[in-house]
C-alpha cells in the first residue's frame, strides 16, 4: 500500500521520517495548537490489496524501517447525525426484538454461511428473505461499551460520551478511570424514547441498561452480574475428610456411606458468612468391594439431597437468601466432579463462582429464576489457563460447557420474557462469541503458542461458539410469531488476532512522561506523572495530567503542547521486530474525524495496528514495554478495518427483502423505531432504506 509522508498538524513544513525533524519542527511551531502526527491522504484504505476469495481479512502488520508514523489515512462513515423525523410511521410489527450477538464479525459470518457452519433452521441462516446489511460499520473505538451505546442511541461516542470500555471523566485524577459500561450516556436511548412515547420496553443484560438510575432502567429487565458472591476454586477432599455417616432417606450404598463437607465463605450483604454443603460417598455396585462411585450432594439449610453425581458430571450448589426487593433469591454455583477415586483419596471438585439472577421488578425476577435458574456465570478462562499450565483447573471441553450453559441461560430468560411480558421492544444480549474469540482466535503463526494442532482445536472452539449463538437466535425466533413480530440481530464489532501486547504506560515511562510507583497490587501510574494512558485493546486514550484542569494535575498549560509532542513521537517510533505498532495518532482538534470529539476522550487518542494490543500496565523503570500477547483476539481498532465490521440482520413482520452493502450501526436505532412505529431517540442517525 503506498504511504505518503506524514504531516504535522500545526506545522507548515512536511514531517520527515526522522525524530530530529520532528524536534526541529516542534521548535518552530510555537506553543499554539499541539503538533500531532497525522497521515497524508495518499495512504487511504481504499487501496487495500485484494484478498484471496473466502479468506478471513485480517489486517497484517507492516514491517518498515525505523521511522516516524507511516500512518494510513482513514475517514469515518460516522458523519454528524441527520435530524430524526418526529412523526413516526405506523407500526409494521406488533413487537420488535433486538438481539445483540457480541463480537460476531461480518466476514466470519459470511464465511460461516458459505461453509455451512450454522445448523439451526431458524437461526442465522434464516435471514436471507429479510433485510441483510452485509457490513455494519461500528463507531470508533470498536469496543463493546461504545458500540452498544451507539446501537441503542443511534449516535457516535462523541455524543454518548462512551469513548471506550474504560476512560477518564474530565477533571479526574490519575488512576481514576471509569467503566464505559457504568458511565452515564449523553444521548437518549431506545428504551427512553419508547417509554417517553408510552411504549413498554424490556431490556435483558443489554449494556447500558443496568437499572442503576431511571435513565438506565426499562419497564422490566435483567442486569448483568459482574462479580460472583464467592469466586470459583478447585476443592480437593482427602479420604480422611470423609467420615462415617448414616444414610439419608432415599439413598442406598453397598459400602458404608462416608460424608465430607464443602464450606463456602461469603462476604456480600444479605448472605450468611459461610454455607456448608455435604458430599456423601456411595457405592452403588454390589460386587463385594468398597469402591465408591457416586456423591450425593446435600444442601446447606437442612442437608437434604440436592442431586447425585458421578465423575465428569456437573451439578449445582445453591442456597436461599433474602433479596433487597423484599423477596428471596437463589444464590448458586455450577460445579464439576472432576475426580472420584474408588477409595476417596483425592476427590476433586471444581466449585464454580456463586451468583444470583438480578432482575426487576420482583415478579419478573422470580419468574426468570423459576424458568432459568440462577445466573451461571461465564466460561472460566482462568481455570483453563491453570489447567494448561499443569495445575488444577478446567479443560477446553469443560469451559465450553460453561459457555453453552451461559448462553442457554440468556435464551431461557428471553423465552420467559416473550411468553409472559407485554412489550413493544425487547432488547437482548449474548456475549459468548466475543468471550470465546478473545481466548481462541488463534489463526496467525505469529501468535504465542501457535501450532497447527492448537490452531485446529481453537478453531473448533470458535466454531462451537458461533453455533451456540446460532442456536440462541433460532430459539428466540421460535418463541416469536414472525408473521406479526420482528427479530433484528446485530453485533457490535468484529475481532482481530493479536500476537504482541503493548504496555502503553510503560512505553510512556521510557519517554520520561509517566512515572511508576508500587501500590497494593503491584506497580501503578504515579500521581506525579505528566501523562497517563487508559488502554482499550486496539486503542488508547492518553491524558495529560494538566494543572488547573485535572485533580492533582502537574503539567502547566504552557507545557501541554510539548508533552503531547513527546508522546506522539515516542508512539510513532514504537516498533516490534521492525513492525510499526501505531497506525494513527489523533489530537483533540482532529477527534471529530474519528467520531470521538468528546470531553471524555484523551488529549491524544492512539489507534494500534491489528496484531498489537494496548494494555495499561506499567512496571519498574527500564522494564520492557511489550511482550507476547496473553489473549488471542482483540478489537478497538479503527472501524475502517474489514475485520471490525459487524452484522445486521432482520426478518419478520414489516421487514422487506433487501440486501444492503454497508450501513453504520448508528442507523439501527432508527431502523428499530420505524418497525415499531415510534419516533427514534432524539439524537439518532436516520435509517437510509
Amino acid at each position: 500500500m503506498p504511504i505518503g509522508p506524514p504531516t504535522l498538524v500545526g506545522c507548515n513544513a512536511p514531517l520527515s521520517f526522522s525524530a530530529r525533524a520532528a524536534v526541529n519542527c516542534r521548535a518552530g511551531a510555537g506553543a499554539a495548537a499541539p503538533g500531532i502526527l497525522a497521515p497524508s491522504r495518499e495512504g487511504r484504505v481504499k487501496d487495500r490489496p485484494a484478498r484471496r476469495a473466502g479468506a478471513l481479512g485480517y489486517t497484517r502488520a507492516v514491517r518498515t524501517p525505523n521511522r516516524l508514523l507511516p500512518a494510513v489515512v482513514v475517514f469515518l462513515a460516522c458523519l454528524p447525525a441527520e435530524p430524526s423525523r418526529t412523526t413516526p410511521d405506523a407500526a409494521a410489527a406488533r413487537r420488535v426484538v433486538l438481539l445483540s450477538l457480541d463480537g460476531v464479525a461480518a466476514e466470519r459470518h459470511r464465511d460461516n454461511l458459505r461453509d455451512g457452519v450454522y445448523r439451526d433452521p431458524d437461526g442465522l441462516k434464516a435471514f436471507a428473505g429479510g433485510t441483510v446489511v452485509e457490513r455494519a460499520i461500528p463507531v470508533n473505538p470498536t469496543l463493546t461499551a461504545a458500540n452498544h451505546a451507539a446501537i441503542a442511541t443511534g449516535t457516535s461516542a462523541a455524543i454518548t460520551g462512551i469513548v471506550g470500555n474504560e476512560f477518564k471523566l474530565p477533571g479526574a485524577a490519575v488512576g481514576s478511570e471509569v467503566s464505559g459500561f457504568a458511565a452515564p450516556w449523553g444521548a437518549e436511548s431506545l428504551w427512553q424514547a419508547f417509554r417517553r412515547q408510552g411504549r413498554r420496553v424490556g431490556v435483558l443484560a443489554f449494556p447500558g441498561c443496568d437499572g442503576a438510575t431511571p435513565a438506565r432502567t426499562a419497564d422490566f429487565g435483567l442486569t448483568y452480574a459482574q462479580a460472583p458472591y464467592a469466586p470459583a476454586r478447585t476443592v480437593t477432599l482427602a479420604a480422611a475428610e470423609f467420615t462415617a455417616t448414616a444414610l439419608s432417606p432415599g439413598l442406598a450404598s453397598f459400602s458404608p456411606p462416608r460424608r465430607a463437607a464443602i464450606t463456602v465463605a461469603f462476604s456480600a450483604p444479605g448472605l450468611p458468612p459461610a454455607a456448608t454443603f455435604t458430599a456423601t460417598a456411595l457405592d452403588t455396585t454390589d460386587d463385594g468391594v468398597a469402591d465408591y462411585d457416586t456423591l450425593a450432594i446435600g444442601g446447606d439449610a437442612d442437608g437434604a439431597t440436592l442431586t447425585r453425581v458421578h465423575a465428569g458430571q456437573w451439578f449445582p450448589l445453591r442456597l436461599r437468601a433474602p433479596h433487597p426487593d423484599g423477596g428471596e433469591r437463589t444464590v448458586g454455583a455450577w460445579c464439576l466432579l472432576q475426580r472420584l477415586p474408588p477409595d476417596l483419596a483425592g476427590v476433586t471438585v471444581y466449585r464454580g463462582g456463586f451468583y444470583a439472577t438480578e432482575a426487576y421488578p420482583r415478579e419478573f425476577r422470580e419468574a426468570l429464576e423459576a424458568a432459568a435458574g440462577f445466573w451461571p456465570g461465564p466460561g472460566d478462562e482462568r481455570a483453563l489457563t491453570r489447567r494448561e499450565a499443569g495445575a488444577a483447573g478446567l479443560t477446553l471441553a469443560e469451559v465450553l460447557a460453561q459457555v453453552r450453559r451461559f448462553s442457554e441461560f440468556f435464551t431461557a430468560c428471553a423465552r420467559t420474557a416473550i411468553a409472559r411480558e407485554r412489550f413493544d421492544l425487547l432488547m437482548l444480549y449474548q456475549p459468548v462469541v466475543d468471550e470465546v474469540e478473545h481466548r481462541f482466535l488463534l489463526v496467525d503463526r505469529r501468535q504465542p503458542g501457535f501450532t497447527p494442532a492448537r490452531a485446529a482445536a481453537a478453531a473448533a472452539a470458535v466454531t462451537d461458539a458461533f453455533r451456540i449463538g446460532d442456536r440462541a437466535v433460532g430459539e428466540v425466533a421460535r418463541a416469536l410469531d414472525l408473521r406479526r413480530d420482528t427479530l433484528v440481530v446485530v453485533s457490535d464489532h468484529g475481532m482481530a488476532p493479536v500476537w504482541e501486547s503493548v504496555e502503553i504506560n510503560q512505553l510512556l515511562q521510557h519517554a520520561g512522561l509517566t512515572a511508576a510507583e508500587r501500590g497494593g497490587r503491584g506497580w501503578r501510574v504515579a500521581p506525579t506523572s505528566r501523562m497517563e494512558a487508559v488502554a482499550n485493546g486496539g486503542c488508547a486514550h492518553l491524558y495529560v495530567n494538566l494543572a488547573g484542569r485535572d485533580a492533582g494535575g502537574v503539567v502547566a498549560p504552557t507545557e501541554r503542547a510539548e508533552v503531547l509532542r513527546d508522546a506522539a513521537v515516542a508512539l510513532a517510533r514504537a516498533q516490534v521486530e521492525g513492525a510499526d505498532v501505531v497506525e494513527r495518532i489523533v489530537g483533540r482538534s482532529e477527534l471529530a474525524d474519528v467520531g470521538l470529539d468528546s470531553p471524555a476522550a484523551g488529549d491524544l487518542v492512539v489507534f494500534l495496528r491489528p496484531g498489537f494490543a494496548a494494555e495499561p500496565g506499567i512496571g519498574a523503570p527500564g522494564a520492557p514495554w511489550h511482550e507476547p500477547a496473553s489473549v488471542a483476539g482483540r478489537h478497538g481498532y479503527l472501524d475502517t478495518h474489514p475485520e471490525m465490521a459487524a452484522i445486521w440482520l432482520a426478518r419478520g413482520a414489516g421487514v422487506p427483502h433487501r440486501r444492503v452493502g454497508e450501513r453504520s450501526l448508528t442507523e439501527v436505532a432508527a431502523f428499530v423505531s420505524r418497525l415499531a412505529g415510534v419516533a427514534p431517540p432524539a439524537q439518532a442517525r436516520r435509517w437510509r432504506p
Side-chain angles (χ1 to χ4, degrees):
M1 167 184 318
I3 300 176
T7 56
L8 192 63
V9 177
C11 288
N12 295 323
L15 182 65
S16 74
F17 288 121
S18 70
R20 178 174 298 177
V23 173
N24 291 340
C25 190
R26 177 182 62 194
I36 306 304
L37 297 175
S40 65
R41 294 179 179 266
E42 283 78 13
R44 290 181 182 239
V45 178
K46 67 181 181 181
D47 296 322
R48 292 189 192 101
R51 294 188 300 276
R52 175 175 56 85
L56 291 176
Y58 298 125
T59 303
R60 300 294 183 182
V62 180
R63 188 174 298 275
T64 62
N66 188 0
R67 61 190 186 184
L68 289 181
L69 182 65
V72 179
V73 171
V74 290
F75 291 100
L76 286 179
C78 186
L79 300 174
E82 301 176 38
S84 298
R85 293 180 302 172
T86 56
T87 304
D89 292 332
R94 177 187 61 161
R95 302 182 298 182
V96 180
V97 173
L98 173 63
L99 168 59
S100 171
L101 295 178
D102 197 329
V104 174
E107 288 193 337
R108 177 60 191 256
H109 170 65
R110 177 204 65 200
D111 293 346
N112 285 347
L113 289 171
R114 180 198 63 205
D115 298 338
V117 167
Y118 301 132
R119 295 174 175 175
D120 194 302
D122 299 310
L124 288 166
K125 64 183 179 182
F127 287 82
T131 293
V132 175
V133 176
E134 294 180 346
R135 294 175 305 281
I137 305 303
V139 302
N140 285 315
T142 53
L143 295 165
T144 299
N147 276 282
H148 278 91
I151 291 166
T153 65
T155 191
S156 72
I159 305 301
T160 66
I162 306 303
V163 297
N165 286 351
E166 286 190 342
F167 54 91
K168 286 178 62 177
L169 294 175
V174 168
S176 301
E177 296 81 16
V178 298
S179 168
F181 296 96
W185 292 0
E188 186 181 43
S189 66
L190 277 167
W191 53 87
Q192 289 176 291
F194 272 63
R195 297 183 78 197
R196 171 171 54 81
Q197 296 169 76
R199 302 300 186 93
R200 184 170 167 82
V201 185
V203 180
L204 305 191
F206 195 96
C209 192
D210 53 16
T213 66
R216 301 170 71 89
T217 303
D219 291 286
F220 60 93
L222 168 73
T223 59
Y224 202 100
Q226 297 293 338
Y229 295 112
R233 57 168 296 194
T234 299
V235 177
T236 301
L237 301 170
E241 295 182 70
F242 285 87
T243 59
T245 185
L247 275 175
S248 299
L251 298 180
S253 178
F254 292 99
S255 297
R258 305 185 68 83
R259 178 172 293 174
I262 300 175
T263 300
V264 182
F266 298 103
S267 58
L271 296 182
T276 299
F277 301 89
T278 60
T280 303
L282 306 175
D283 177 3
T284 64
T285 56
D286 186 10
D287 56 7
V289 179
D291 49 355
Y292 296 94
D293 56 13
T294 304
L295 286 187
I297 306 299
D300 172 64
D302 53 12
T305 300
L306 297 173
T307 188
R308 303 183 196 189
V309 61
H310 303 284
Q313 291 183 332
W314 291 88
F315 64 94
L317 293 179
R318 51 181 177 259
L319 68 151
R320 298 287 287 173
H323 193 279
D325 64 13
E328 283 195 334
R329 58 182 165 180
T330 297
V331 179
W334 278 98
C335 308
L336 174 65
L337 179 57
Q338 295 179 301
R339 187 169 180 266
L340 180 56
D343 60 357
L344 305 181
V347 174
T348 304
V349 175
Y350 167 81
R351 198 214 71 210
F354 275 78
Y355 296 91
T357 295
E358 296 298 338
Y360 60 90
R362 173 181 168 180
E363 294 77 11
F364 182 62
R365 178 184 63 79
E366 291 172 343
L368 291 188
E369 189 175 289
F374 56 83
W375 180 280
D380 191 344
E381 295 179 9
R382 293 182 179 180
L384 175 61
T385 300
R386 291 194 299 270
R387 181 64 172 261
E388 291 175 339
L394 294 176
T395 66
L396 173 56
E398 291 163 352
V399 170
L400 288 175
Q402 292 179 310
V403 169
R404 189 172 295 105
R405 184 181 299 112
F406 202 31
S407 176
E408 290 170 351
F409 170 82
F410 286 110
T411 301
C413 290
R415 287 199 306 263
T416 301
I418 291 168
R420 76 181 302 274
E421 295 294 327
R422 179 181 60 82
F423 63 86
D424 299 284
L425 173 64
L426 180 63
M427 300 176 68
L428 308 175
Y429 179 63
Q430 284 268 349
V432 298
V433 171
D434 177 82
E435 292 174 348
V436 170
E437 284 202 307
H438 276 302
R439 182 66 171 75
F440 295 109
L441 190 64
L442 191 63
V443 296
D444 192 293
R445 292 183 178 276
R446 290 169 288 185
Q447 292 179 273
F450 181 95
T451 67
R454 287 178 176 174
V462 171
T463 296
D464 199 9
F466 273 93
R467 285 175 174 156
I468 291 170
D470 175 50
R471 173 75 178 190
V473 173
E475 289 289 333
V476 171
R478 285 186 285 275
L480 297 168
D481 178 0
L482 292 178
R483 296 168 300 178
R484 297 190 295 165
D485 302 327
T486 299
L487 175 60
V488 181
V489 177
V490 297
S491 62
D492 52 346
H493 54 72
M495 193 77 68
V498 295
W499 47 86
E500 198 75 12
S501 292
V502 178
E503 305 289 352
I504 300 292
N505 283 307
Q506 186 68 10
L507 178 59
L508 294 175
Q509 183 175 215
H510 280 247
L513 298 171
T514 301
E517 67 176 15
R518 285 194 177 274
R521 297 184 179 181
W523 293 97
R524 65 189 179 194
V525 176
T528 56
S529 298
R530 294 196 288 166
M531 176 172 274
E532 179 189 19
V534 180
N536 285 268
C539 67
H541 291 271
L542 276 60
Y543 299 89
V544 175
N545 191 14
L546 192 63
R549 182 191 72 178
D550 302 326
V554 300
V555 176
T558 56
E559 299 172 347
R560 176 177 178 271
E562 182 177 2
V563 170
L564 290 171
R565 183 76 61 86
D566 290 348
V569 169
L571 288 158
R573 296 174 64 185
Q575 292 188 330
V576 175
E577 296 182 355
D580 290 307
V581 168
V582 172
E583 178 172 0
R584 187 170 181 183
I585 303 173
V586 188
R588 290 210 61 85
S589 63
E590 308 300 315
L591 285 176
D593 291 347
V594 291
L596 284 171
D597 189 15
S598 164
D603 296 293
L604 290 181
V605 179
V606 180
F607 289 94
L608 274 59
R609 294 179 182 274
F612 298 98
E615 304 293 347
I618 194 169
W625 54 264
H626 64 89
E627 62 184 6
S630 59
V631 298
R634 294 301 292 263
H635 46 95
Y637 304 97
L638 282 168
D639 64 359
T640 49
H641 287 289
E643 58 266 46
M644 292 298 103
I647 65 168
W648 177 352
L649 315 168
R651 68 186 184 106
V655 177
H657 176 45
R658 178 178 298 149
R659 200 166 196 92
V660 180
E662 188 173 286
R663 288 290 185 270
S664 170
L665 282 178
T666 57
E667 298 180 52
V668 171
F671 177 78
V672 167
S673 299
R674 175 176 291 191
L675 289 168
V678 303
Q683 294 92 345
R685 183 176 181 175
R686 181 175 297 177
W687 155 248
R688 296 172 291 157

